[in-house]
Amino acid sequence: MMHRIRAGLALACTSLSLAALVEPAAARSATDLAIPWGDWLVGLLQPVTAALVPLAAAAVTAGIARVAPWAASVLTRDRIEAAIRAGAEFGQNAVAGAARGRTVGVDVGAAVVSAGARHVLATAPAHVVRKAGGPEGVAARIFRALPLDPQASAANVLAPALTQLREPDKRRG
């Protein structure tokens, strides 16, 4: 019911304003009917746009503020996964006896994990390493990402890799 009343009021207001514009023109002559709709439309739209543009900008800003934490979370998670994949591939390529696409044996697993983790720690941004759990978290994620032998476990691959990771790199010394 309220919808019909509102629609009727809007129609009445529109027809009154249109009649106020048309009547002076109709009084001049019946054949020369000129409605200054351009001036009327510009005069009406200026205050409307002055009110709507800031509201639209506020709505867009609020939308970005709501999406930004979620988007940052997704992007960081993707960066972590990409860094772990790159670390696993680097470790498999860098260690003799391991090859990308093949199962990593227990004897070279710790070296592959530590080499991959060092690569990630050296190349990934600090916030990505922090979100991945630091050096230990990076090594554990690389351990889980590698195709390891069935005999491989956290005790015989990950623990020695963490020990190697904590040692200073002897090649640099």
Side-chain angles (χ1 to χ4, degrees), residues 45-122:
L45 288 181
Q46 281 178 346
V48 171
T49 56
L52 289 182
V53 169
L55 288 176
V60 169
T61 304
I64 290 171
R66 284 193 175 183
V67 173
W70 174 79
S73 159
V74 168
L75 292 175
T76 301
R77 187 184 68 223
D78 289 345
R79 294 280 309 266
I80 291 170
E81 291 172 4
I84 298 303
R85 278 192 307 273
E89 290 176 5
F90 179 85
Q92 287 175 320
N93 288 335
V95 175
R100 200 168 101 194
R102 293 183 38 211
T103 304
V104 177
V106 175
D107 53 337
V108 295
V112 170
V113 171
S114 66
R118 284 190 179 158
H119 174 71
V120 170
L121 295 174

